[in-house]
Structures are given as C-alpha cells and as structure tokens.
Amino acid sequence: MSLNDTLARYSDWTFEAGFAVLVLALILLVSEYATYRSRVVAERELAATGASASVGAGTGGASTALVDGPGRVDAAPGRPLSERLGNMGRALVVVVAALLVSSIVLRGFATERFPLGNMYEFVAMACAAAIVFGLVALRKPAYRTLWVFLLFPVLVLMFLAATVLYADAAPVVPALQSFWLPIHVTIISVGSGIFLVAGAASVLFLMRLRQPRGEERGVLGRICRLLPDAETLDRLAYRTTIIAFPLFGVGIILGAIWAEAAWGRFWGWDPKETVSFITWVIYAAYLHARATSGWRNTRAAWINIAGFVAMLFNLFIINMVVSGLHSYAGLN
C-alpha cells in the first residue's frame, strides 16, 4: 500500500483551513448573538417607552416592530446587522463542512484506504457529521442561535484532533485491513457526531429550564435570552437521539460481526466493547425516560448528557489510557 505525500499534505492543509474558517464562523455567529440581543433590548425599551407615551396621549401603541428571533426581517427597510452577520457565519459553516469532507477524502486517496484508521480521522469524520447534520436539523430560524453552542465543542474536538490526536497519513495495521472498517467505523463516527447535537440540545434545555423565557437574570440569563423555549430544545434532543441511537446500535452489531471474523468470537468484553455497550444502554434509558411520566424533563436530559459523556470517555480515555484489542488510536 503506497502513500501519496502530496495528497496527505493537502489533506492536512484542508483540515487546518477548515479549522480557521470555523473560528471565523464562530466569531461571526457570536457577534450575531451579541448584536441581536442588544438590538432586542433596545427595541423592547423603545416599545415600552412608546407604549407609555401612547397611553398618556390616548393614541395607539408604538410603531416599532419587534422581531421574534434571529434571521427575521424588520419592518424597517434593509437587513439588520445581526442578520447579516449570522448569514455570513452560517455560509462559512457550509464551507467548513466542505473542507472537512474534502480533508477526509484526500486522506483516503493519499493512503489508498478508507480514512478511519486512527483517532484523528475518526474525530474528523465525527465533526464533519455533526456539522452536516446541524445544517439539516438547525435550518429553521428558531434554531439558528444554537449554532454557537454546537460549533464550540466541534472547534474543541478539531483542535484536539489536530494536536493531541494527530497521526501522520500511513497504512493501517493488518487488523484493520478489512472491508468491515468503512462499514463499522463510519456508522459509529456518524452516530457520534449526531449525538453531539443531541447532547448540546440537552445541555441548553437544562439551561433554559433554569432561565424561563421572560425571567432571564444574571450571566446565565443573558446567554439564554435568545434560546428557543425549553420544549423546543427538548424536542430537538429527542428527535436527534432517535436518529443516532439506531445508527450506534447497528454499528455495535456490525462490530461484533467483524470481531467474530477477526478474533473468532462475537463479544469478549474488551474495554471498548464494554463501554460502547454501556453507552448504548444509557441512550436506551434516555429514550425510555423521555417517554415515561415523571422522568421526561430534567431526569431524561441528564441521562442524555450522561450518554454523551460515556461516549467521550470511550473515545478518549479508553483509546488513550486503557489497553485492549481496540488500541488503534495511532498516537504512538
């Protein structure tokens, strides 16, 4: 199996470009968030002043038109600054997705294998899956403020992938030279990326429960002021988990089939197998709790977050600290 150094460099540069564009996109989306919040506060104060004046003068209410969320068009001509910043930021998110996918494809061509042979490639695929899924799931105007909270963990993961987890383009170990690699690992990595969206939605749901609409106070209240209502966030987390849960389960089953072909047994309680199964059980418990009276709100959200923490534990601690049959992190 040969290695194309030129394509490998292009893959690394494309990933680095994606990281840089993601930083710029996050800056623009944070600016949209801050600018829009300031505008809403000013409009509410102006509306309150106008309403008071109209009551004293016996006229109608204030003529200022309020907006309901980022991306909505004012009655006044021209788009507000917050909307323009947000549109530019979301356009750059599309560029990030294209760059990440291109980096993965180039790595595959450079190594002449499926590009999921180490933690660097796995995290790159999971981040690409999270962003692509976010472009679909967060396309409604009500969800646009959630991009800030989704892209931040993606940015952290990409930084770790490019530094701590980075592995040079190279052939995989013989144990991974199987047609099961693109099937099993792709499903697991895509499911993990979608679970990232679900985990972020559950965290924001708990924040919104502590700061209901119209009652936001303090620093947390200022952060939550533009978030959707708790029910919308809970519904997003649930629907996202419904998509990722069967994918993750199928990935585990296919991994067991691959284990039987490679090691002569379907299941051996290897550390990674064990934690993967525990993660799947936690997410199953979340879906059950979400449909159970008395567990639907806070308790179910915490279970969903626990599932995401277990998945991160499996990705980092099990791969980097614990030795086992799945020790293919590529960190040596």
Side-chain angles (χ1 to χ4, degrees):
M1 185 178 294
S2 61
L3 173 66
N4 190 318
D5 291 329
T6 302
L7 290 180
R9 286 196 300 272
Y10 287 161
S11 173
D12 292 344
W13 293 342
T14 306
F15 186 89
E16 293 167 2
F19 180 84
V21 175
L22 180 58
V23 172
L24 180 57
L26 192 56
I27 291 173
L28 289 172
L29 291 170
V30 169
S31 301
E32 176 203 24
Y33 196 91
T35 305
Y36 178 75
R37 179 187 168 276
S38 301
R39 185 164 60 90
V40 167
V41 171
E43 288 180 343
R44 286 176 178 173
E45 292 176 352
L46 181 60
T49 303
S52 300
S54 65
V55 170
T59 61
S63 60
T64 302
L66 297 181
V67 291
D68 296 325
R72 299 293 296 272
V73 180
D74 286 335
R79 293 184 177 183
L81 177 61
S82 62
E83 184 181 351
R84 284 178 284 162
L85 290 173
N87 289 339
M88 288 188 291
R90 284 181 287 275
L92 289 180
V93 171
V94 177
V95 176
V96 173
L99 289 172
L100 278 179
V101 172
S102 300
S103 174
I104 294 169
V105 172
L106 288 170
R107 171 68 72 118
F109 280 116
T111 56
E112 295 184 356
R113 60 169 174 81
F114 202 77
L116 280 175
N118 50 62
M119 285 185 66
Y120 165 74
E121 295 167 0
F122 181 92
V123 172
M125 179 71 79
C127 289
I131 292 178
V132 171
F133 183 80
L135 290 171
V136 176
L138 306 182
R139 65 186 183 278
K140 295 181 180 179
Y143 293 144
R144 287 180 180 176
T145 54
L146 303 184
W147 272 112
V148 173
F149 304 96
L150 172 61
L151 293 183
F152 182 75
V154 171
L155 185 71
V156 173
L157 287 174
M158 288 183 65
F159 175 79
L160 292 175
T163 54
V164 179
L165 306 178
Y166 179 77
D168 292 326
V172 294
V173 297
L176 295 181
Q177 295 175 5
S178 169
F179 68 91
W180 286 108
L181 175 66
I183 302 173
H184 165 62
V185 186
T186 299
I187 293 175
I188 292 292
S189 60
V190 171
S192 300
I194 299 175
F195 274 139
L196 173 59
V197 180
S202 285
V203 171
L204 296 176
F205 166 72
L206 293 174
M207 291 170 58
R208 173 49 81 189
L209 284 182
R210 291 178 59 89
Q211 299 282 339
R213 275 192 176 276
E215 302 178 17
E216 297 95 341
R217 295 182 180 88
V219 176
L220 182 60
R222 288 193 291 271
I223 295 174
C224 294
R225 184 160 295 176
L226 299 182
L227 291 179
D229 58 84
E231 182 179 355
T232 300
L233 292 167
D234 183 44
R235 187 166 55 249
L236 175 64
Y238 177 64
R239 291 177 176 175
T240 303
T241 304
I242 286 179
I243 296 173
F245 177 74
L247 280 176
F248 199 77
V250 169
I252 292 176
I253 293 172
L254 294 176
I257 297 174
W258 185 8
E260 196 279 332
W263 303 319
R265 50 79 172 167
F266 287 101
W267 196 267
W269 298 105
D270 180 73
K272 196 168 187 65
E273 294 174 350
T274 303
V275 178
S276 295
F277 177 70
I278 292 173
T279 303
W280 184 85
V281 170
I282 293 174
Y283 278 113
Y286 163 72
L287 293 178
H288 177 72
R290 180 61 173 65
T292 302
S293 177
W295 285 75
R296 186 167 182 172
N297 291 327
T298 305
R299 293 176 179 177
W302 278 114
I303 294 174
N304 193 25
I305 294 171
F308 185 66
V309 171
M311 190 176 63
L312 292 177
F313 178 84
N314 199 16
L315 174 63
F316 290 99
I317 304 302
I318 297 299
N319 278 330
M320 299 173 65
V321 179
V322 181
S323 297
L325 293 174
H326 287 80
S327 300
Y328 306 126
L331 301 179
N332 295 330

